[in-house]
């Protein structure tokens, strides 16, 4: 047939091209039953299942501070989290506004820093939320220092004290701060010692210790426990089970899925995660070196002390031997004592 070879060649070219697939328009043949009208579309060479395999299954860990900060960009998630921690009705939270997100460093040589999220609640309360993964025994002092700084920064010279807003510190810790307390959540105010009435409500501290969370989900789990377990979760199955129990956590989970598929944010997240991992490894190795140095010094001190004790015992045994010889010669006790210093 005339033109058949040409059509076969065109068909061959279409099948051979790795980026092209052809499909008929509206599924109908055009030109009165002649060959279908083909529309060529560029697609990636890899299959969707292969192309998106890693991205589809990747979820950031909310307890990495970068991921938590990104989750808090979602207003509904932010409202639900604050309501759970502060024990408020979400309906009473009229507005939450992120003031800033700072990478706060403890000193000039601090390579890691701590990323905090500062939020203004209902225009009358400032809230500072921080996540700390590595153990830091002075955390209470640190939190007190920064909430005091946050409080005093509100007022300028010449202003009255009534401009000062309530300041709240929320600490999410991946280590145990209070060894003797079994509960994962603690809340602190400034109280009178014996009668326990509030001196001032302008400062408030909340501490969530993630290692104290129990395994699994209870039917009666409160919103704060659900939020703590969501922040501590790492597997999709965990996120799914927790999110279905709370609409605000569902919003947080939706936000987590979105940012986890964002290539730029994933790069920032992985850089932050690496910085935290390297910092923790540095601290571990420094601790191990300190232990080894301490052990070596202990061995050296022990050896020196052992030599001194051995020499002392040797002198004592020599004196006793001399004393026995003098006794055998019939000398009196005073003479023997003067000669041996026993």
């Amino acid at each position: 047939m005339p033109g058949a070879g040409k059509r076969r060649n065109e068909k061959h070219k279409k099948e051979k091209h790795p980026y092209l697939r052809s499909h008929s328009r509206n599924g109908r043949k055009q030109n009165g039953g002649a060959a279908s009208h083909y529309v060529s579309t560029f697609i990636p060479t890899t299959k969707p299942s292969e192309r998106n395999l890693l991205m589809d299954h990747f979820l950031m860990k909310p307890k990495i501070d970068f991921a938590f900060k990104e989750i808090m960009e979602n207003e509904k998630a932010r409202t639900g989290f604050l309501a759970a921690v502060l024990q408020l009705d979400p309906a009473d939270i009229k507005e939450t506004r992120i003031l800033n997100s700072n990478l706060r460093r403890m000193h000039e040589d601090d390579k890691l820093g701590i990323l905090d999220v500062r939020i203004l609640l209902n225009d009358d309360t400032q809230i500072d939320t921080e996540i700390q993964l590595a153990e830091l025994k002075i955390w209470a002092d640190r939190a007190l220092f920064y909430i005091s700084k946050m409080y005093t920064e509100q007022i300028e010279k010449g202003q009255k004290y009534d401009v000062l807003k309530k300041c709240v510190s929320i600490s999410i810790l991946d280590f145990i701060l209070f060894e003797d307390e079994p509960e994962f959540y603690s809340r602190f105010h400034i109280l009178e010692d014996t009668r326990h009435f509030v001196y001032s409500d302008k400062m408030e501290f909340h501490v969530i210790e993630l290692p104290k969370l129990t395994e699994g989900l209870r039917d009666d789990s409160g919103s704060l426990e659900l939020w703590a377990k969501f922040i501590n979760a790492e597997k999709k199955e965990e996120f799914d089970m927790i999110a279905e129990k709370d609409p605000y956590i569902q919003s947080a989970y939706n936000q987590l899925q979105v940012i986890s598929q964002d290539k730029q944010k994933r790069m920032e997240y992985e850089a932050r995660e690496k910085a935290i991992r390297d910092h923790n490894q540095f601290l571990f190795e420094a601790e191990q070196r300190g232990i080894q140095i301490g052990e070596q010094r202990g061995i050296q001190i022990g050896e020196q002390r052992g030599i001194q004790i051995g020499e002392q015992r040797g002198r004592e045994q020599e004196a006793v031997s001399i004393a026995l010889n003098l006794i055998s010669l019939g000398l009196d006790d005073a003479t023997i004592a003067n000669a041996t210093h026993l």
Side-chain angles (χ1 to χ4, degrees):
M1 293 177 63
K6 183 178 179 181
R7 285 195 297 272
R8 281 196 299 271
N9 289 337
E10 289 176 351
K11 181 180 179 182
H12 177 70
K13 288 179 181 178
K14 285 185 173 63
E15 292 175 346
K16 189 175 181 180
H17 200 299
Y19 291 90
L20 294 174
R21 281 186 183 171
S22 301
H23 55 85
S24 61
R25 181 178 293 171
N26 297 327
R28 297 190 300 270
K29 291 186 177 182
Q30 309 294 323
N31 303 323
S36 298
H37 178 71
Y38 284 96
V39 178
S40 298
T41 307
F42 278 90
I43 62 169
T45 55
T46 55
K47 296 178 181 178
S49 59
E50 296 171 349
R51 183 175 69 251
N52 298 321
L53 181 61
L54 294 177
M55 291 297 290
D56 288 346
H57 292 283
F58 172 75
L59 287 170
M60 297 180 185
K61 300 174 185 177
K63 65 182 175 184
I64 300 296
D65 49 18
F66 174 83
F68 180 80
K69 175 187 74 72
E70 292 293 328
I71 292 171
M72 288 296 102
E73 294 288 342
N74 181 288
E75 185 174 8
K76 184 174 180 180
R78 192 165 65 239
T79 297
F81 172 74
L82 293 177
V85 176
L86 303 180
Q87 300 174 23
L88 298 173
D89 185 336
D92 293 334
I93 298 179
K94 306 303 180 186
E95 180 188 22
T96 62
R97 179 159 50 92
I98 293 182
L99 299 178
N100 56 36
S101 299
N102 292 325
L103 185 61
R104 182 184 294 161
R105 303 183 188 278
M106 298 181 68
H107 48 77
E108 291 183 359
D109 296 329
D110 187 356
K111 304 299 183 185
L112 179 67
I114 297 176
L115 189 67
D116 70 319
V117 180
R118 190 173 296 186
I119 301 170
L120 183 63
L121 172 65
N122 291 346
D123 202 37
D124 63 1
T125 303
Q126 286 197 28
I127 302 168
D128 188 64
T129 303
E130 295 182 297
I131 295 181
Q132 174 68 15
L133 302 185
E135 185 175 20
L136 191 61
K137 290 297 186 183
I138 61 166
W139 184 263
D141 295 328
R142 186 187 184 283
L144 181 60
F145 172 79
Y146 280 111
I147 197 174
S148 299
K149 191 170 183 287
M150 184 168 67
Y151 187 71
T152 57
E153 284 177 347
Q154 298 179 77
I155 194 169
E156 297 180 3
K157 186 177 181 179
Q159 288 184 308
K160 296 181 180 180
Y161 291 112
D162 59 2
V163 303
L164 294 170
K165 295 178 172 62
K166 180 176 181 177
C167 291
V168 177
S169 169
I170 300 176
S171 300
I172 303 171
L173 309 179
D174 200 27
F175 64 92
I176 293 177
L177 183 63
F178 308 117
E179 296 285 350
D180 298 330
E181 298 297 326
E183 299 296 326
F184 77 92
Y185 169 71
S186 302
R187 181 177 181 178
F188 302 92
H189 294 87
I190 303 174
L191 301 176
E192 198 278 334
D193 282 351
T194 56
R195 286 164 287 163
H196 306 124
F197 64 87
V198 177
Y199 178 72
S200 172
D201 68 346
K202 293 291 187 180
M203 287 189 181
E204 189 173 300
F205 300 85
H206 300 258
V207 180
I208 297 171
E209 298 171 271
L210 298 177
K212 292 182 179 179
L213 290 169
T214 58
E215 295 289 336
L217 286 178
R218 305 193 315 268
D219 292 336
D220 61 345
S221 294
S223 59
L224 178 57
E225 183 179 357
L226 291 175
W227 269 104
K229 290 191 173 183
F230 172 78
I231 293 170
N232 200 41
E234 297 184 2
K235 298 178 181 179
K236 183 179 184 300
E237 295 77 12
E238 296 176 276
F239 290 120
D240 290 338
M241 287 190 295
I242 298 168
E244 69 179 10
K245 293 181 175 293
D246 187 293
Y248 295 95
I249 296 179
Q250 183 65 60
S251 292
Y253 184 31
N254 293 342
Q255 178 79 350
L256 179 67
Q257 291 173 306
V258 170
I259 63 176
S260 295
Q261 301 306 309
D262 186 303
K263 292 182 179 180
Q264 180 61 36
K265 292 188 185 301
R266 178 169 176 175
M267 288 174 61
E268 295 180 51
Y269 166 84
E270 290 177 343
R272 182 61 180 164
E273 187 179 35
K274 180 180 182 299
I276 293 172
R277 186 168 56 247
D278 290 349
H279 177 75
N280 292 343
Q281 181 65 26
F282 171 80
L283 293 179
F284 172 76
E285 291 180 5
E287 182 181 7
Q288 293 302 306
R289 286 195 298 270
I291 292 173
Q292 291 174 358
I293 292 171
E295 288 177 346
Q296 186 61 36
R297 288 179 178 174
I299 291 171
Q300 293 173 352
I301 293 172
E303 289 176 347
Q304 186 61 36
R305 181 60 178 160
I307 291 171
Q308 293 174 352
I309 293 173
E311 291 176 345
Q312 179 65 30
R313 288 179 178 175
R315 287 192 292 270
E316 291 175 355
Q317 290 175 357
E318 182 182 6
V320 170
S321 178
I322 293 172
L324 292 174
N325 289 333
L326 294 176
I327 290 172
S328 66
L329 295 175
L331 297 179
D332 59 85
D333 292 345
T335 302
I336 294 172
N338 288 334
T340 61
H341 303 289
L342 292 175

